[in-house]
Amino acid sequence: MGTRDPPACQGRDMGISLSGLPPAASVLGSCLQPAPAQTPVTIVLTPPSPVVGGGVSLAPQPPPENLVLCSWHRSATADEKSRILSYNPATSPPQTPGPAHTGRETAGPSCALNIAGLTLSDTGNYTVLIMNPGVLTIPVTLRVYGKCHPQELEILPKPTVTPNQTQVLENGTFTLTCNSSPSVNTMLWLRDGASLVPSERLVLSPDNWTLTVLGVTRGDAGAYQCEVGNPVSTNRSEPSNVTVAYGPDSAQIDPPGPIALTLGSLLKLTCVADSVPAPSYRWLLNDTDTKETGSSLTFNLTTWAQQGTYECWTHNPVTGRTAWASVVALWGAQHWGGKDGPPRM
């Protein structure tokens, strides 16, 4: 009679991809056992704070015993797409590149990963899968620092935008500047939380630190922020509020005329004008200043002299623009016994 695998080994799917490995890898078979209890393995970085342009070694410590195979992955999981390389000490050459190999990575003894010519984009999550012959998966985070001041990449301080408040005339120009740490790698401008795309009117300096808006429209008003980032942190400034001064282009009085006045009733006129900042108001009756300066005019109708032409004048002190509207209000003839005006005294 022939021999059979133990039931626990039949059809076992270990979820481990060995694509790209030499035929010798098949000796692992389909019955990998969990790693026996041993000293916990950690990943030691040498040097501990690698910098741009230099190199780094990521080495399991203590070195794995009875190593059969290991693979390094540029992700938080050991999936095939992120595999940098595999290392099998029983083959020649022992190293097999994977889909994520850049040409700068090599494998060292005891499954160490060596990366040369470091860039800031090398910062991220890495995972090593070790078979000896059990299976052990160890994640590690690599941080690559700038050459001059590597520790500045730890956490970026909150940037600031100057000026922090701006009022600009419609069709004018304004400029905002982002102030932050020199270790910034990315810089983004936002208005009301939405990122801005450079255009003929929205002009960024070559280093993105300065935003200039030309031919300002009313839609350019809002809260502007800059967002800075490096491989290890992101931070956003407090809003810099931009107000666009415009108008008034026109004015109108509500209710519109002609208005029939009623003795003893209340007359309320409201002047409406689209203007930023809010305009000043001035009310005239038959070309005489009423001394009223609010957007509304309210009074009781008691005398014949209260009929005539009411005018509302609006003025924006920032734009220098003025707009006005008028309405005619006359006594209703029905209140005077059919006559055209109030009774003569």
Side-chain angles (χ1 to χ4, degrees):
M1 297 180 60
T3 60
R4 298 176 58 189
D5 289 332
C9 299
Q10 293 177 2
R12 177 177 295 182
D13 181 6
M14 299 303 293
I16 300 168
S17 173
L18 301 178
S19 69
L21 297 182
S26 63
V27 300
L28 294 175
S30 61
C31 190
L32 298 173
Q33 301 297 327
Q38 57 181 326
T39 304
V41 178
T42 59
I43 304 300
V44 176
L45 275 63
T46 306
S49 299
V51 297
V52 170
V56 66
S57 173
L58 292 76
Q61 294 294 334
E65 297 179 357
N66 304 316
L67 178 65
V68 175
L69 176 75
C70 72
S71 61
W72 276 96
H73 302 257
R74 186 174 273 107
S75 70
T77 59
D79 62 279
E80 173 59 20
K81 291 182 180 180
S82 67
R83 184 169 62 88
I84 302 171
L85 54 81
S86 299
Y87 179 78
N88 185 339
T91 64
S92 181
Q95 176 177 315
T96 302
H101 193 267
T102 69
R104 297 180 291 114
E105 300 89 359
T106 57
S110 302
C111 199
L113 174 67
N114 303 312
I115 306 176
L118 289 170
T119 68
L120 291 176
S121 62
D122 288 320
T123 292
N125 295 315
Y126 290 74
T127 299
V128 62
L129 186 149
I130 299 173
M131 301 178 188
N132 64 333
V135 180
L136 185 63
T137 302
I138 310 170
V140 63
T141 299
L142 171 65
R143 291 182 177 179
V144 180
Y145 300 97
K147 290 182 178 180
C148 299
H149 305 287
Q151 298 309 317
E152 290 181 2
L153 287 181
E154 284 292 332
I155 298 178
L156 286 173
K158 181 184 287 291
T160 60
V161 174
T162 52
N164 61 8
Q165 188 169 348
T166 302
Q167 185 177 78
V168 59
L169 291 174
E170 187 175 21
N171 299 317
T173 298
F174 69 88
T175 297
L176 301 175
T177 300
C178 185
N179 309 284
S180 185
S181 165
S183 63
V184 167
N185 299 110
T186 61
M187 227 284 297
L188 180 69
W189 283 96
L190 307 98
R191 181 180 64 233
D192 296 332
S195 60
L196 295 177
V197 178
S199 65
E200 291 184 356
R201 290 197 314 108
L202 276 62
V203 181
L204 294 176
S205 61
D207 55 9
N208 284 7
W209 289 106
T210 299
L211 169 68
T212 299
V213 180
L214 309 172
V216 172
T217 68
R218 299 176 190 186
D220 292 322
Y224 286 75
Q225 294 171 284
C226 67
E227 183 179 281
V228 296
N230 64 17
V232 296
S233 64
T234 301
N235 216 332
R236 187 177 293 187
S237 70
E238 294 295 326
S240 171
N241 296 309
V242 174
T243 303
V244 178
Y246 64 87
D249 298 323
S250 62
Q252 64 183 42
I253 295 177
D254 185 38
I259 300 173
L261 303 180
T262 303
L263 183 65
S265 65
L266 188 70
L267 176 64
K268 181 177 181 180
L269 302 177
T270 300
C271 188
V272 179
D274 187 14
S275 173
V276 174
S280 60
Y281 296 90
R282 181 184 174 206
W283 290 91
L284 284 75
L285 173 57
N286 298 326
D287 295 327
T288 301
D289 193 345
T290 66
K291 307 301 182 182
E292 296 291 335
T293 58
S295 60
S296 295
L297 181 67
T298 304
F299 53 85
N300 291 313
L301 295 169
T302 58
T303 68
W304 175 80
Q306 290 170 315
Q307 74 170 349
T309 300
Y310 286 84
E311 295 179 9
C312 166
W313 287 80
T314 64
H315 177 71
N316 185 327
V318 176
T319 65
R321 296 179 63 90
T322 298
W324 68 281
S326 65
V327 65
V328 174
L330 299 174
W331 290 107
Q334 68 273 23
H335 299 292
W336 306 107
K339 297 181 181 181
D340 294 332
R344 297 180 182 276
M345 301 300 293

